Amino acid sequence: MSKNGKKDHRKRTTTDTILVDNRTGKIINGDEQEVEEEFDDYTEVDCVKALSKFELAIYETLNKLRTHPDEFADEMETYRQYYSGKDNKEFHPSPKEAILRTKEGLEGFDEALDVVRNLEPLPTLGLAMGLIKCCQDHIGDQYGPELRTGHKGSDGSTPQTRANRYGEWGYVCSEVIQYGECDAFRVIMFLLIDDGIASRGRRKQLISNEYSICGVAAGRHSKCGFASCILLVDTYTDDLEKLHYADSDFRKAYKKARKKGYLKDNDNITVEYTNGGPPPDKKSCCIIT
C-alpha cells in the first residue's frame, strides 16, 4: 500500500500497448503521449481477496504463531504423538499419508515447541499486494517440468530483487519456502522446526520482530507436491502503476499451480524428509481454492 493511504494521482507516459519487463517490472514504452490516470491503493481487504483459502490459512496461522504463541503451542503439541519409529524420527499423522523420515525427529520438534512456549507475543504481520504478487511469481516460476526449488528465480532474481519488482522495501527482506505440505498449520510448524538446519534460519525469520509486512503464495509443485512461499519485509510501498499493468508468464503459471489439486492418497512408504519439506513422492489430497 502507498505511504499516504490515499488515492495515488500521477501523470504517466503511456502507449496504446503497455509492455512490462517480467524480470525488472519496468514498463516498456513505444510511441509516447502524456495522460493522467488514477490508481487506488490496495487495502487489507484487497490483499486478503487476492489469497486462496489455503494461502489465507497460512497467513492466519503465521500470525497466530506471532500474536498468540500459547495457542499455537497447544495445537502444535497435538502433533507430538505422531512421531514414532527408530529414535522417534518418523512422522506419520495419518494412514493416508506417507511416513516422513526426519533428521532430528522428536528432539527437533520438542526444541521448537519449547521456543514457542517461551515466545513473547509479536505484532501482527500486515499484507502488501506487491509482496503477494512477488510470491505468486516465484510459485509460478517453480511450477512446471524444470522441477525448480530454492530462492533463486529462473531469471536470476533473488527474494530481495523480486520484492522490488512491484514496490519498494526498506532495510530487511527475507523469504521462506516450504515444500510438500498442503496443511496450513503444518506448513508453519515445519518451517518453525527447521529440521536439519543448524542455524534455524527459517524459524528465526518467522518469529523476528524486524518484520511488519509479508506476502504469501502457494500452489502445486511438480516435484514436491506443494510449495508455499512467504516474503517478509520491514516496510513496503506498493508501486501502483507496475501492479496495475503487470502481467507475466510467471503469473500465468501461478494461476495453473493455484488451480490444481494434488494427486491422490498414497500408500504408506518410508522416505527421507529434509530441508523443511516432505519429499517429492509424498502425495496428499488437497484442492486449493
Side-chain angles (χ1 to χ4, degrees):
M1 289 176 243
S2 68
K3 292 179 180 177
N4 58 22
K6 300 178 181 179
K7 279 188 177 180
D8 188 353
H9 301 270
R10 67 177 73 181
K11 286 185 177 181
R12 70 171 182 83
T13 302
T14 187
T15 61
D16 292 335
T17 301
I18 301 297
L19 300 176
V20 179
D21 187 292
N22 289 345
R23 183 176 62 84
T24 65
K26 291 182 178 180
I27 296 173
I28 304 169
N29 293 318
D31 296 330
E32 300 181 349
Q33 59 180 356
E34 196 169 83
V35 298
E36 187 171 342
E37 291 197 23
E38 295 181 359
F39 301 98
D40 289 337
D41 287 338
Y42 290 99
T43 66
E44 191 79 11
V45 172
D46 294 327
C47 291
V48 168
K49 287 182 178 179
L51 302 179
S52 69
K53 292 180 181 179
F54 181 46
E55 292 164 344
L56 179 59
I58 292 173
Y59 170 67
E60 290 175 340
T61 303
L62 174 56
N63 272 327
K64 182 177 183 179
L65 166 65
R66 291 174 60 89
T67 61
H68 295 89
D70 53 341
E71 294 180 13
F72 185 95
D74 288 343
E75 185 171 352
M76 181 176 173
E77 192 159 16
T78 65
Y79 286 91
R80 195 177 191 279
Q81 62 184 307
Y82 300 124
Y83 282 88
S84 60
K86 185 178 179 180
D87 300 325
N88 287 318
K89 290 186 176 180
E90 293 179 353
F91 181 78
H92 191 211
S94 168
K96 294 182 178 181
E97 297 186 44
I99 299 172
L100 305 181
R101 177 69 181 173
T102 68
K103 288 187 174 182
E104 299 177 67
L106 198 55
E107 183 177 344
F109 177 91
D110 285 341
E111 178 195 299
L113 181 60
D114 186 61
V115 169
V116 180
R117 289 285 185 202
N118 291 282
L119 182 65
E120 293 293 327
L122 295 164
T124 299
L125 291 171
L127 288 167
M129 187 64 76
L131 296 178
I132 292 172
K133 297 298 184 185
C134 293
C135 292
Q136 290 177 350
D137 281 355
H138 199 51
I139 292 296
D141 190 18
Q142 296 193 348
Y143 172 77
E146 294 83 3
L147 307 180
R148 300 184 62 87
T149 58
H151 298 286
K152 187 175 181 179
S154 62
D155 56 358
S157 62
T158 66
Q160 291 73 30
T161 59
R162 282 193 296 276
N164 275 335
R165 188 174 286 170
Y166 306 112
E168 183 177 353
W169 56 278
Y171 298 97
V172 187
C173 175
S174 296
E175 179 180 75
V176 294
I177 306 174
Q178 202 280 333
Y179 293 98
E181 274 299 335
C182 63
D183 176 89
F185 187 87
R186 278 157 49 176
V187 166
I188 300 301
M189 183 179 77
F190 283 129
L191 287 170
L192 186 70
I193 294 171
D194 220 356
D195 183 60
I197 307 299
S199 67
R200 306 298 194 211
R202 285 169 284 203
R203 177 190 301 174
K204 292 176 182 177
Q205 288 162 5
L206 292 184
I207 58 177
S208 171
N209 60 8
E210 291 184 299
Y211 305 111
S212 63
I213 305 173
C214 71
V216 180
R220 181 174 173 180
H221 190 278
S222 299
K223 178 181 179 181
C224 303
F226 276 103
S228 301
C229 178
I230 304 172
L231 195 56
L232 303 150
V233 301
D234 53 345
T235 62
Y236 194 77
T237 304
D238 283 324
D239 187 313
L240 303 178
E241 187 174 359
K242 288 181 179 179
L243 281 169
H244 184 76
Y245 289 106
D247 191 20
S248 68
D249 292 337
F250 296 151
R251 180 126 327 105
K252 294 172 184 176
Y254 161 74
K255 290 178 180 178
K256 293 180 181 179
R258 170 171 166 163
K259 182 178 180 181
K260 291 196 174 185
Y262 185 57
L263 303 179
K264 299 179 180 179
D265 292 341
N266 193 31
D267 294 332
N268 293 347
I269 53 175
T270 301
V271 291
E272 291 297 318
Y273 170 42
T274 59
N275 296 331
D281 49 351
K282 182 199 172 198
K283 303 172 185 177
S284 301
C285 284
C286 182
I287 299 296
I288 300 178
T289 57

